[in-house]
Amino acid sequence: MSFTPKGKHLIAGNWVAGDTTFKSSPAHGTAFDYPVGTPAHVNAAAEAAEEAFWSYGYSTREQRAEFLNRIADEIDKRGDEITEIGTSETGLPEGRLQGERGRTTGQLRLFASHILQGDYLDRRHDEALPDRAPIPRPELHMVQRPIGPVAVFGASNFPLAFSTAGGDTAAALAAGCPVVVKGHSAHPGTAEIVADAIDAAIKALGLHPGVFSLIQGGKRDVGTALVQHPLINAVGFTGSLGGGRALFDLCAARPTPIPFFGELGSVNPMFLLPDALAARGDAIASGWAGSLTMGAGQFCTNPGVAVVLAGSDADAFRAAATKALEPMGSQTMLTDGIAQSYRDGRDRISGASGVQELLTTTCDLRNATPYLFATTGKEWLANELLGEEVFGPLGLIVEVADMDEMVAVAKSLQGQLTCTLHMDEGDNDNARKLMPILERKAGRLLANGFPTGVEVSDTMVHGGPYPASTNFGATSVGTMSIRRFLRPVCYQNMSAAILPADLT
């Protein structure tokens, strides 16, 4: 391997060793030693971030845009090395890593453009009305301001786009907030080389080094110390429901509670309406198989559940989905732990009452193969466990007796990232019955598509009611995600000479 990691934390511009180390577990290639993070590392990074905020938080939008674009340039300079270490650590193919790198740099450049436009500031102005009776009105200005240092937890399934310089980091830096990243132990080398790119950008532009820090690995005490540190003002997280909920509770229990923006997962159900199912059930089944197995099913928008009306068309859909999934080969999962959790989820579904096995395969070690099961709407409504996410290429077909039961299944859903309608023109009346329910259940609604693939844009919403995310009013993808790291400030009768530059 041409890239040899430093095997250190990056804290306020310095590469720092640790007293203890852990060894990476690559899917293939060389394992390296990395330092174990500690609460002391967290404290040093948080204090540096707070110091940096006094300059970076009051920098101009032009300066921050230049910084974001420079980070993107530095990442691209390291493109081949990032692909090399990333594929080794995760087992993801080169094309996926290259595409994800493009998405990562694209997000950074998109935010640079977004903040230059200035719309996100939501600037408002009420002129003074000194002669208003019975009480004069003062002059009022309002603008969105950065909240301070932010903690970001790297995601296991996206080593670039949701990790070191991913969407949370890009949005926070765009807002004017220094960032402390806790790297994911599944891909520490990838985290390190991206951190090196950010550090190079900081040094090239002469920014305060505390604007960004990376703390590698660590046990639960590192995550706990990070979300409870009094200088951290918000947390961005993408990961499991159990881990995210534990961190969310810690944030709420602080003497000064802070927002925890956690994206925790979803089964992303699809509702196949009768006309669409009859006309093109085979094509939908084929598309579903491709979406379900993409990236070994390790996408938070993986469509794990298909709801259909029982009958001959449903039988044909079952057969077509099984046929489409049968030739799908084994894929390497991101970690041994994720692979084991996938097998545990398979066992939970297969052991549930009223569940029929349509496609069973054999997977072991770090490998994943697809599974397909079927159940009835009645069994689904009686067993909440069937609605829990299985992270991997596992599909469940839910056959309902009629549209009333389909509506009941929709109402039974927990919060979702996405819900999909497969429909033709003749399905409009049935779709109208579902739409008000699905709007309350998910952050993104699709028609005649598959939710894997999240566009990074102004309109994208990647979030939803709990447990899809911990804050249903936020998104972790798209330009609106910057709002998580801003707060409105009103200025009354303030001289223009001392108002924030964004208001003058």
Side-chain angles (χ1 to χ4, degrees), residues 65-82 101-102 104-109 112 165 193-194 196-202 204-205:
E66 183 182 15
F67 178 39
L68 294 168
N69 283 321
R70 186 61 179 260
I71 294 172
D73 292 342
E74 294 290 344
I75 289 173
D76 280 340
K77 286 181 185 178
R78 295 158 175 79
D80 291 343
E81 293 176 315
I82 289 172
R101 175 166 56 86
T104 303
T105 56
Q107 287 177 150
L108 290 161
R109 294 186 173 108
I193 195 170
V194 175
D196 184 69
I198 299 173
D199 187 49
I202 290 172
L205 298 178

PDB file of all heavy atoms in Angstrom, residues 65-82 101-102 104-109 112 165 193-194 196-202 204-205:
ATOM      1  N   ALA A  65     -16.395  30.180   2.582  1.00  0.00           N
ATOM      2  CA  ALA A  65     -16.575  29.540   1.286  1.00  0.00           C
ATOM      3  C   ALA A  65     -15.224  29.148   0.694  1.00  0.00           C
ATOM      4  O   ALA A  65     -15.075  28.046   0.128  1.00  0.00           O
ATOM      5  CB  ALA A  65     -17.325  30.470   0.332  1.00  0.00           C
ATOM      6  N   GLU A  66     -14.244  30.018   0.812  1.00  0.00           N
ATOM      7  CA  GLU A  66     -12.905  29.695   0.323  1.00  0.00           C
ATOM      8  C   GLU A  66     -12.342  28.473   1.059  1.00  0.00           C
ATOM      9  O   GLU A  66     -11.712  27.603   0.445  1.00  0.00           O
ATOM     10  CB  GLU A  66     -11.974  30.895   0.512  1.00  0.00           C
ATOM     11  CG  GLU A  66     -10.577  30.672  -0.034  1.00  0.00           C
ATOM     12  CD  GLU A  66      -9.649  31.852   0.214  1.00  0.00           C
ATOM     13  OE1 GLU A  66      -9.985  32.726   1.054  1.00  0.00           O
ATOM     14  OE2 GLU A  66      -8.569  31.900  -0.421  1.00  0.00           O
ATOM     15  N   PHE A  67     -12.594  28.403   2.349  1.00  0.00           N
ATOM     16  CA  PHE A  67     -12.131  27.273   3.160  1.00  0.00           C
ATOM     17  C   PHE A  67     -12.784  25.969   2.703  1.00  0.00           C
ATOM     18  O   PHE A  67     -12.117  24.951   2.496  1.00  0.00           O
ATOM     19  CB  PHE A  67     -12.436  27.563   4.629  1.00  0.00           C
ATOM     20  CG  PHE A  67     -12.052  26.473   5.590  1.00  0.00           C
ATOM     21  CD1 PHE A  67     -10.887  25.752   5.442  1.00  0.00           C
ATOM     22  CD2 PHE A  67     -12.880  26.189   6.673  1.00  0.00           C
ATOM     23  CE1 PHE A  67     -10.537  24.754   6.357  1.00  0.00           C
ATOM     24  CE2 PHE A  67     -12.546  25.199   7.588  1.00  0.00           C
ATOM     25  CZ  PHE A  67     -11.366  24.482   7.423  1.00  0.00           C
ATOM     26  N   LEU A  68     -14.087  25.982   2.520  1.00  0.00           N
ATOM     27  CA  LEU A  68     -14.791  24.779   2.090  1.00  0.00           C
ATOM     28  C   LEU A  68     -14.294  24.307   0.723  1.00  0.00           C
ATOM     29  O   LEU A  68     -14.081  23.097   0.509  1.00  0.00           O
ATOM     30  CB  LEU A  68     -16.294  25.042   2.045  1.00  0.00           C
ATOM     31  CG  LEU A  68     -16.972  25.310   3.389  1.00  0.00           C
ATOM     32  CD1 LEU A  68     -18.386  25.836   3.180  1.00  0.00           C
ATOM     33  CD2 LEU A  68     -17.006  24.066   4.248  1.00  0.00           C
ATOM     34  N   ASN A  69     -14.118  25.241  -0.204  1.00  0.00           N
ATOM     35  CA  ASN A  69     -13.618  24.863  -1.519  1.00  0.00           C
ATOM     36  C   ASN A  69     -12.193  24.340  -1.450  1.00  0.00           C
ATOM     37  O   ASN A  69     -11.831  23.407  -2.181  1.00  0.00           O
ATOM     38  CB  ASN A  69     -13.684  26.060  -2.474  1.00  0.00           C
ATOM     39  CG  ASN A  69     -15.081  26.340  -2.980  1.00  0.00           C
ATOM     40  OD1 ASN A  69     -15.843  25.419  -3.265  1.00  0.00           O
ATOM     41  ND2 ASN A  69     -15.439  27.610  -3.095  1.00  0.00           N
ATOM     42  N   ARG A  70     -11.400  24.900  -0.550  1.00  0.00           N
ATOM     43  CA  ARG A  70     -10.015  24.434  -0.412  1.00  0.00           C
ATOM     44  C   ARG A  70      -9.973  23.013   0.164  1.00  0.00           C
ATOM     45  O   ARG A  70      -9.156  22.184  -0.255  1.00  0.00           O
ATOM     46  CB  ARG A  70      -9.220  25.410   0.473  1.00  0.00           C
ATOM     47  CG  ARG A  70      -7.734  25.091   0.570  1.00  0.00           C
ATOM     48  CD  ARG A  70      -7.062  25.146  -0.807  1.00  0.00           C
ATOM     49  NE  ARG A  70      -5.638  24.865  -0.743  1.00  0.00           N
ATOM     50  CZ  ARG A  70      -4.693  25.809  -0.752  1.00  0.00           C
ATOM     51  NH1 ARG A  70      -5.046  27.096  -0.844  1.00  0.00           N
ATOM     52  NH2 ARG A  70      -3.426  25.497  -0.713  1.00  0.00           N
ATOM     53  N   ILE A  71     -10.856  22.727   1.120  1.00  0.00           N
ATOM     54  CA  ILE A  71     -10.926  21.356   1.647  1.00  0.00           C
ATOM     55  C   ILE A  71     -11.253  20.383   0.518  1.00  0.00           C
ATOM     56  O   ILE A  71     -10.632  19.313   0.393  1.00  0.00           O
ATOM     57  CB  ILE A  71     -11.984  21.247   2.759  1.00  0.00           C
ATOM     58  CG1 ILE A  71     -11.596  22.066   3.982  1.00  0.00           C
ATOM     59  CG2 ILE A  71     -12.164  19.777   3.174  1.00  0.00           C
ATOM     60  CD1 ILE A  71     -12.696  22.147   5.031  1.00  0.00           C
ATOM     61  N   ALA A  72     -12.223  20.738  -0.313  1.00  0.00           N
ATOM     62  CA  ALA A  72     -12.596  19.872  -1.433  1.00  0.00           C
ATOM     63  C   ALA A  72     -11.409  19.647  -2.361  1.00  0.00           C
ATOM     64  O   ALA A  72     -11.154  18.517  -2.817  1.00  0.00           O
ATOM     65  CB  ALA A  72     -13.774  20.488  -2.192  1.00  0.00           C
ATOM     66  N   ASP A  73     -10.661  20.705  -2.636  1.00  0.00           N
ATOM     67  CA  ASP A  73      -9.490  20.572  -3.500  1.00  0.00           C
ATOM     68  C   ASP A  73      -8.448  19.643  -2.878  1.00  0.00           C
ATOM     69  O   ASP A  73      -7.847  18.804  -3.567  1.00  0.00           O
ATOM     70  CB  ASP A  73      -8.855  21.941  -3.748  1.00  0.00           C
ATOM     71  CG  ASP A  73      -9.736  22.861  -4.598  1.00  0.00           C
ATOM     72  OD1 ASP A  73     -10.656  22.346  -5.268  1.00  0.00           O
ATOM     73  OD2 ASP A  73      -9.504  24.082  -4.568  1.00  0.00           O
ATOM     74  N   GLU A  74      -8.237  19.795  -1.576  1.00  0.00           N
ATOM     75  CA  GLU A  74      -7.234  18.969  -0.893  1.00  0.00           C
ATOM     76  C   GLU A  74      -7.655  17.499  -0.855  1.00  0.00           C
ATOM     77  O   GLU A  74      -6.819  16.586  -0.951  1.00  0.00           O
ATOM     78  CB  GLU A  74      -6.984  19.494   0.518  1.00  0.00           C
ATOM     79  CG  GLU A  74      -6.349  20.871   0.600  1.00  0.00           C
ATOM     80  CD  GLU A  74      -4.893  20.885   0.142  1.00  0.00           C
ATOM     81  OE1 GLU A  74      -4.282  19.802   0.050  1.00  0.00           O
ATOM     82  OE2 GLU A  74      -4.371  21.995  -0.119  1.00  0.00           O
ATOM     83  N   ILE A  75      -8.952  17.255  -0.714  1.00  0.00           N
ATOM     84  CA  ILE A  75      -9.446  15.872  -0.753  1.00  0.00           C
ATOM     85  C   ILE A  75      -9.208  15.276  -2.136  1.00  0.00           C
ATOM     86  O   ILE A  75      -8.745  14.134  -2.272  1.00  0.00           O
ATOM     87  CB  ILE A  75     -10.932  15.817  -0.362  1.00  0.00           C
ATOM     88  CG1 ILE A  75     -11.098  16.107   1.131  1.00  0.00           C
ATOM     89  CG2 ILE A  75     -11.539  14.458  -0.698  1.00  0.00           C
ATOM     90  CD1 ILE A  75     -12.536  16.243   1.583  1.00  0.00           C
ATOM     91  N   ASP A  76      -9.505  16.040  -3.170  1.00  0.00           N
ATOM     92  CA  ASP A  76      -9.295  15.541  -4.532  1.00  0.00           C
ATOM     93  C   ASP A  76      -7.819  15.252  -4.803  1.00  0.00           C
ATOM     94  O   ASP A  76      -7.495  14.302  -5.530  1.00  0.00           O
ATOM     95  CB  ASP A  76      -9.840  16.535  -5.547  1.00  0.00           C
ATOM     96  CG  ASP A  76     -11.352  16.437  -5.712  1.00  0.00           C
ATOM     97  OD1 ASP A  76     -11.918  15.385  -5.353  1.00  0.00           O
ATOM     98  OD2 ASP A  76     -11.967  17.416  -6.189  1.00  0.00           O
ATOM     99  N   LYS A  77      -6.939  16.057  -4.258  1.00  0.00           N
ATOM    100  CA  LYS A  77      -5.502  15.808  -4.433  1.00  0.00           C
ATOM    101  C   LYS A  77      -5.105  14.437  -3.891  1.00  0.00           C
ATOM    102  O   LYS A  77      -4.169  13.818  -4.391  1.00  0.00           O
ATOM    103  CB  LYS A  77      -4.683  16.882  -3.705  1.00  0.00           C
ATOM    104  CG  LYS A  77      -4.658  18.238  -4.363  1.00  0.00           C
ATOM    105  CD  LYS A  77      -3.801  19.192  -3.541  1.00  0.00           C
ATOM    106  CE  LYS A  77      -3.827  20.596  -4.090  1.00  0.00           C
ATOM    107  NZ  LYS A  77      -3.019  21.542  -3.266  1.00  0.00           N
ATOM    108  N   ARG A  78      -5.805  13.991  -2.863  1.00  0.00           N
ATOM    109  CA  ARG A  78      -5.496  12.715  -2.211  1.00  0.00           C
ATOM    110  C   ARG A  78      -6.419  11.595  -2.691  1.00  0.00           C
ATOM    111  O   ARG A  78      -6.546  10.566  -2.038  1.00  0.00           O
ATOM    112  CB  ARG A  78      -5.622  12.885  -0.685  1.00  0.00           C
ATOM    113  CG  ARG A  78      -4.597  13.855  -0.089  1.00  0.00           C
ATOM    114  CD  ARG A  78      -5.062  14.412   1.253  1.00  0.00           C
ATOM    115  NE  ARG A  78      -4.061  15.250   1.893  1.00  0.00           N
ATOM    116  CZ  ARG A  78      -3.813  16.516   1.557  1.00  0.00           C
ATOM    117  NH1 ARG A  78      -4.507  17.098   0.574  1.00  0.00           N
ATOM    118  NH2 ARG A  78      -2.878  17.203   2.193  1.00  0.00           N
ATOM    119  N   GLY A  79      -7.063  11.822  -3.823  1.00  0.00           N
ATOM    120  CA  GLY A  79      -8.106  10.915  -4.275  1.00  0.00           C
ATOM    121  C   GLY A  79      -7.673   9.466  -4.390  1.00  0.00           C
ATOM    122  O   GLY A  79      -8.360   8.555  -3.907  1.00  0.00           O
ATOM    123  N   ASP A  80      -6.544   9.205  -5.037  1.00  0.00           N
ATOM    124  CA  ASP A  80      -6.101   7.825  -5.219  1.00  0.00           C
ATOM    125  C   ASP A  80      -5.790   7.158  -3.884  1.00  0.00           C
ATOM    126  O   ASP A  80      -6.111   5.979  -3.678  1.00  0.00           O
ATOM    127  CB  ASP A  80      -4.874   7.779  -6.127  1.00  0.00           C
ATOM    128  CG  ASP A  80      -5.196   8.146  -7.568  1.00  0.00           C
ATOM    129  OD1 ASP A  80      -6.393   8.114  -7.929  1.00  0.00           O
ATOM    130  OD2 ASP A  80      -4.254   8.475  -8.315  1.00  0.00           O
ATOM    131  N   GLU A  81      -5.159   7.902  -2.987  1.00  0.00           N
ATOM    132  CA  GLU A  81      -4.823   7.335  -1.675  1.00  0.00           C
ATOM    133  C   GLU A  81      -6.087   7.074  -0.850  1.00  0.00           C
ATOM    134  O   GLU A  81      -6.167   6.071  -0.129  1.00  0.00           O
ATOM    135  CB  GLU A  81      -3.888   8.287  -0.923  1.00  0.00           C
ATOM    136  CG  GLU A  81      -2.514   8.416  -1.551  1.00  0.00           C
ATOM    137  CD  GLU A  81      -1.655   9.434  -0.832  1.00  0.00           C
ATOM    138  OE1 GLU A  81      -2.171  10.534  -0.535  1.00  0.00           O
ATOM    139  OE2 GLU A  81      -0.475   9.134  -0.569  1.00  0.00           O
ATOM    140  N   ILE A  82      -7.058   7.960  -0.958  1.00  0.00           N
ATOM    141  CA  ILE A  82      -8.318   7.758  -0.241  1.00  0.00           C
ATOM    142  C   ILE A  82      -9.018   6.492  -0.746  1.00  0.00           C
ATOM    143  O   ILE A  82      -9.513   5.683   0.050  1.00  0.00           O
ATOM    144  CB  ILE A  82      -9.237   8.988  -0.410  1.00  0.00           C
ATOM    145  CG1 ILE A  82      -8.676  10.175   0.375  1.00  0.00           C
ATOM    146  CG2 ILE A  82     -10.658   8.676   0.058  1.00  0.00           C
ATOM    147  CD1 ILE A  82      -9.396  11.492   0.115  1.00  0.00           C
ATOM    148  N   ARG A 101     -16.505   9.975  -2.781  1.00  0.00           N
ATOM    149  CA  ARG A 101     -15.591  11.119  -2.680  1.00  0.00           C
ATOM    150  C   ARG A 101     -16.142  12.298  -3.465  1.00  0.00           C
ATOM    151  O   ARG A 101     -16.086  13.451  -3.003  1.00  0.00           O
ATOM    152  CB  ARG A 101     -14.199  10.722  -3.178  1.00  0.00           C
ATOM    153  CG  ARG A 101     -13.221  11.893  -3.221  1.00  0.00           C
ATOM    154  CD  ARG A 101     -11.787  11.432  -3.394  1.00  0.00           C
ATOM    155  NE  ARG A 101     -11.603  10.614  -4.569  1.00  0.00           N
ATOM    156  CZ  ARG A 101     -11.355  11.088  -5.789  1.00  0.00           C
ATOM    157  NH1 ARG A 101     -11.282  12.400  -5.986  1.00  0.00           N
ATOM    158  NH2 ARG A 101     -11.185  10.279  -6.822  1.00  0.00           N
ATOM    159  N   GLY A 102     -16.687  12.028  -4.659  1.00  0.00           N
ATOM    160  CA  GLY A 102     -17.291  13.103  -5.436  1.00  0.00           C
ATOM    161  C   GLY A 102     -18.464  13.736  -4.720  1.00  0.00           C
ATOM    162  O   GLY A 102     -18.655  14.956  -4.766  1.00  0.00           O
ATOM    163  N   THR A 104     -18.783  13.880  -1.487  1.00  0.00           N
ATOM    164  CA  THR A 104     -18.233  14.607  -0.341  1.00  0.00           C
ATOM    165  C   THR A 104     -17.711  15.971  -0.765  1.00  0.00           C
ATOM    166  O   THR A 104     -18.017  16.996  -0.136  1.00  0.00           O
ATOM    167  CB  THR A 104     -17.115  13.786   0.315  1.00  0.00           C
ATOM    168  OG1 THR A 104     -17.633  12.501   0.693  1.00  0.00           O
ATOM    169  CG2 THR A 104     -16.564  14.487   1.543  1.00  0.00           C
ATOM    170  N   THR A 105     -16.908  16.005  -1.824  1.00  0.00           N
ATOM    171  CA  THR A 105     -16.401  17.297  -2.293  1.00  0.00           C
ATOM    172  C   THR A 105     -17.531  18.139  -2.868  1.00  0.00           C
ATOM    173  O   THR A 105     -17.532  19.370  -2.740  1.00  0.00           O
ATOM    174  CB  THR A 105     -15.296  17.094  -3.340  1.00  0.00           C
ATOM    175  OG1 THR A 105     -15.796  16.287  -4.415  1.00  0.00           O
ATOM    176  CG2 THR A 105     -14.088  16.394  -2.725  1.00  0.00           C
ATOM    177  N   GLY A 106     -18.515  17.483  -3.483  1.00  0.00           N
ATOM    178  CA  GLY A 106     -19.666  18.221  -3.999  1.00  0.00           C
ATOM    179  C   GLY A 106     -20.446  18.910  -2.905  1.00  0.00           C
ATOM    180  O   GLY A 106     -20.915  20.046  -3.075  1.00  0.00           O
ATOM    181  N   GLN A 107     -20.606  18.228  -1.764  1.00  0.00           N
ATOM    182  CA  GLN A 107     -21.301  18.837  -0.622  1.00  0.00           C
ATOM    183  C   GLN A 107     -20.561  20.075  -0.142  1.00  0.00           C
ATOM    184  O   GLN A 107     -21.167  21.117   0.151  1.00  0.00           O
ATOM    185  CB  GLN A 107     -21.392  17.831   0.538  1.00  0.00           C
ATOM    186  CG  GLN A 107     -22.378  16.708   0.325  1.00  0.00           C
ATOM    187  CD  GLN A 107     -22.378  15.696   1.468  1.00  0.00           C
ATOM    188  OE1 GLN A 107     -23.398  15.091   1.733  1.00  0.00           O
ATOM    189  NE2 GLN A 107     -21.259  15.498   2.119  1.00  0.00           N
ATOM    190  N   LEU A 108     -19.238  19.968  -0.035  1.00  0.00           N
ATOM    191  CA  LEU A 108     -18.441  21.098   0.433  1.00  0.00           C
ATOM    192  C   LEU A 108     -18.593  22.295  -0.501  1.00  0.00           C
ATOM    193  O   LEU A 108     -18.796  23.436  -0.058  1.00  0.00           O
ATOM    194  CB  LEU A 108     -16.970  20.681   0.543  1.00  0.00           C
ATOM    195  CG  LEU A 108     -16.650  19.689   1.669  1.00  0.00           C
ATOM    196  CD1 LEU A 108     -15.324  18.986   1.406  1.00  0.00           C
ATOM    197  CD2 LEU A 108     -16.605  20.405   3.018  1.00  0.00           C
ATOM    198  N   ARG A 109     -18.533  22.033  -1.796  1.00  0.00           N
ATOM    199  CA  ARG A 109     -18.646  23.131  -2.764  1.00  0.00           C
ATOM    200  C   ARG A 109     -20.074  23.684  -2.817  1.00  0.00           C
ATOM    201  O   ARG A 109     -20.275  24.884  -3.023  1.00  0.00           O
ATOM    202  CB  ARG A 109     -18.180  22.642  -4.140  1.00  0.00           C
ATOM    203  CG  ARG A 109     -16.686  22.306  -4.167  1.00  0.00           C
ATOM    204  CD  ARG A 109     -16.191  21.958  -5.560  1.00  0.00           C
ATOM    205  NE  ARG A 109     -14.739  21.812  -5.557  1.00  0.00           N
ATOM    206  CZ  ARG A 109     -14.084  20.656  -5.679  1.00  0.00           C
ATOM    207  NH1 ARG A 109     -14.781  19.527  -5.833  1.00  0.00           N
ATOM    208  NH2 ARG A 109     -12.773  20.619  -5.664  1.00  0.00           N
ATOM    209  N   ALA A 112     -20.377  26.011   0.039  1.00  0.00           N
ATOM    210  CA  ALA A 112     -19.659  27.255  -0.253  1.00  0.00           C
ATOM    211  C   ALA A 112     -20.534  28.192  -1.079  1.00  0.00           C
ATOM    212  O   ALA A 112     -20.645  29.390  -0.788  1.00  0.00           O
ATOM    213  CB  ALA A 112     -18.354  26.943  -0.985  1.00  0.00           C
ATOM    214  N   ALA A 165     -15.209  14.608   6.758  1.00  0.00           N
ATOM    215  CA  ALA A 165     -15.554  15.864   6.071  1.00  0.00           C
ATOM    216  C   ALA A 165     -16.915  15.737   5.403  1.00  0.00           C
ATOM    217  O   ALA A 165     -17.182  16.378   4.384  1.00  0.00           O
ATOM    218  CB  ALA A 165     -14.493  16.220   5.042  1.00  0.00           C
ATOM    219  N   ILE A 193      -6.642  10.410   6.530  1.00  0.00           N
ATOM    220  CA  ILE A 193      -6.198  11.098   5.318  1.00  0.00           C
ATOM    221  C   ILE A 193      -7.122  12.257   4.963  1.00  0.00           C
ATOM    222  O   ILE A 193      -6.678  13.298   4.465  1.00  0.00           O
ATOM    223  CB  ILE A 193      -6.058  10.091   4.151  1.00  0.00           C
ATOM    224  CG1 ILE A 193      -5.262  10.737   3.017  1.00  0.00           C
ATOM    225  CG2 ILE A 193      -7.402   9.605   3.661  1.00  0.00           C
ATOM    226  CD1 ILE A 193      -4.864   9.756   1.933  1.00  0.00           C
ATOM    227  N   VAL A 194      -8.421  12.138   5.270  1.00  0.00           N
ATOM    228  CA  VAL A 194      -9.334  13.263   5.044  1.00  0.00           C
ATOM    229  C   VAL A 194      -9.056  14.377   6.050  1.00  0.00           C
ATOM    230  O   VAL A 194      -9.091  15.565   5.703  1.00  0.00           O
ATOM    231  CB  VAL A 194     -10.800  12.791   5.118  1.00  0.00           C
ATOM    232  CG1 VAL A 194     -11.753  13.978   5.019  1.00  0.00           C
ATOM    233  CG2 VAL A 194     -11.093  11.791   4.004  1.00  0.00           C
ATOM    234  N   ASP A 196      -6.196  15.032   7.247  1.00  0.00           N
ATOM    235  CA  ASP A 196      -4.980  15.670   6.740  1.00  0.00           C
ATOM    236  C   ASP A 196      -5.317  16.703   5.669  1.00  0.00           C
ATOM    237  O   ASP A 196      -4.698  17.771   5.609  1.00  0.00           O
ATOM    238  CB  ASP A 196      -4.045  14.597   6.184  1.00  0.00           C
ATOM    239  CG  ASP A 196      -2.719  15.169   5.715  1.00  0.00           C
ATOM    240  OD1 ASP A 196      -1.926  15.619   6.559  1.00  0.00           O
ATOM    241  OD2 ASP A 196      -2.489  15.186   4.483  1.00  0.00           O
ATOM    242  N   ALA A 197      -6.305  16.397   4.835  1.00  0.00           N
ATOM    243  CA  ALA A 197      -6.734  17.350   3.810  1.00  0.00           C
ATOM    244  C   ALA A 197      -7.319  18.613   4.450  1.00  0.00           C
ATOM    245  O   ALA A 197      -7.036  19.735   4.011  1.00  0.00           O
ATOM    246  CB  ALA A 197      -7.757  16.693   2.892  1.00  0.00           C
ATOM    247  N   ILE A 198      -8.145  18.432   5.481  1.00  0.00           N
ATOM    248  CA  ILE A 198      -8.733  19.593   6.168  1.00  0.00           C
ATOM    249  C   ILE A 198      -7.637  20.418   6.836  1.00  0.00           C
ATOM    250  O   ILE A 198      -7.635  21.656   6.771  1.00  0.00           O
ATOM    251  CB  ILE A 198      -9.773  19.137   7.204  1.00  0.00           C
ATOM    252  CG1 ILE A 198     -10.910  18.372   6.522  1.00  0.00           C
ATOM    253  CG2 ILE A 198     -10.329  20.332   7.974  1.00  0.00           C
ATOM    254  CD1 ILE A 198     -11.898  17.745   7.483  1.00  0.00           C
ATOM    255  N   ASP A 199      -6.687  19.742   7.470  1.00  0.00           N
ATOM    256  CA  ASP A 199      -5.585  20.441   8.134  1.00  0.00           C
ATOM    257  C   ASP A 199      -4.764  21.239   7.128  1.00  0.00           C
ATOM    258  O   ASP A 199      -4.348  22.368   7.417  1.00  0.00           O
ATOM    259  CB  ASP A 199      -4.706  19.415   8.854  1.00  0.00           C
ATOM    260  CG  ASP A 199      -3.627  20.063   9.710  1.00  0.00           C
ATOM    261  OD1 ASP A 199      -3.961  20.975  10.501  1.00  0.00           O
ATOM    262  OD2 ASP A 199      -2.453  19.662   9.594  1.00  0.00           O
ATOM    263  N   ALA A 200      -4.535  20.663   5.941  1.00  0.00           N
ATOM    264  CA  ALA A 200      -3.786  21.384   4.915  1.00  0.00           C
ATOM    265  C   ALA A 200      -4.517  22.656   4.504  1.00  0.00           C
ATOM    266  O   ALA A 200      -3.898  23.706   4.280  1.00  0.00           O
ATOM    267  CB  ALA A 200      -3.560  20.478   3.708  1.00  0.00           C
ATOM    268  N   ALA A 201      -5.848  22.579   4.393  1.00  0.00           N
ATOM    269  CA  ALA A 201      -6.636  23.757   4.036  1.00  0.00           C
ATOM    270  C   ALA A 201      -6.557  24.819   5.127  1.00  0.00           C
ATOM    271  O   ALA A 201      -6.461  26.019   4.834  1.00  0.00           O
ATOM    272  CB  ALA A 201      -8.082  23.352   3.782  1.00  0.00           C
ATOM    273  N   ILE A 202      -6.627  24.391   6.387  1.00  0.00           N
ATOM    274  CA  ILE A 202      -6.531  25.332   7.506  1.00  0.00           C
ATOM    275  C   ILE A 202      -5.198  26.067   7.470  1.00  0.00           C
ATOM    276  O   ILE A 202      -5.136  27.306   7.601  1.00  0.00           O
ATOM    277  CB  ILE A 202      -6.696  24.581   8.850  1.00  0.00           C
ATOM    278  CG1 ILE A 202      -8.143  24.112   9.015  1.00  0.00           C
ATOM    279  CG2 ILE A 202      -6.280  25.467  10.026  1.00  0.00           C
ATOM    280  CD1 ILE A 202      -8.359  23.201  10.205  1.00  0.00           C
ATOM    281  N   ALA A 204      -3.119  26.442   4.904  1.00  0.00           N
ATOM    282  CA  ALA A 204      -2.952  27.258   3.703  1.00  0.00           C
ATOM    283  C   ALA A 204      -3.646  28.612   3.831  1.00  0.00           C
ATOM    284  O   ALA A 204      -3.163  29.619   3.300  1.00  0.00           O
ATOM    285  CB  ALA A 204      -3.491  26.503   2.486  1.00  0.00           C
ATOM    286  N   LEU A 205      -4.755  28.633   4.560  1.00  0.00           N
ATOM    287  CA  LEU A 205      -5.539  29.873   4.677  1.00  0.00           C
ATOM    288  C   LEU A 205      -5.281  30.608   5.984  1.00  0.00           C
ATOM    289  O   LEU A 205      -5.884  31.658   6.230  1.00  0.00           O
ATOM    290  CB  LEU A 205      -7.028  29.541   4.540  1.00  0.00           C
ATOM    291  CG  LEU A 205      -7.440  28.923   3.200  1.00  0.00           C
ATOM    292  CD1 LEU A 205      -8.926  28.594   3.197  1.00  0.00           C
ATOM    293  CD2 LEU A 205      -7.096  29.847   2.046  1.00  0.00           C
TER     294      LEU A 205
END
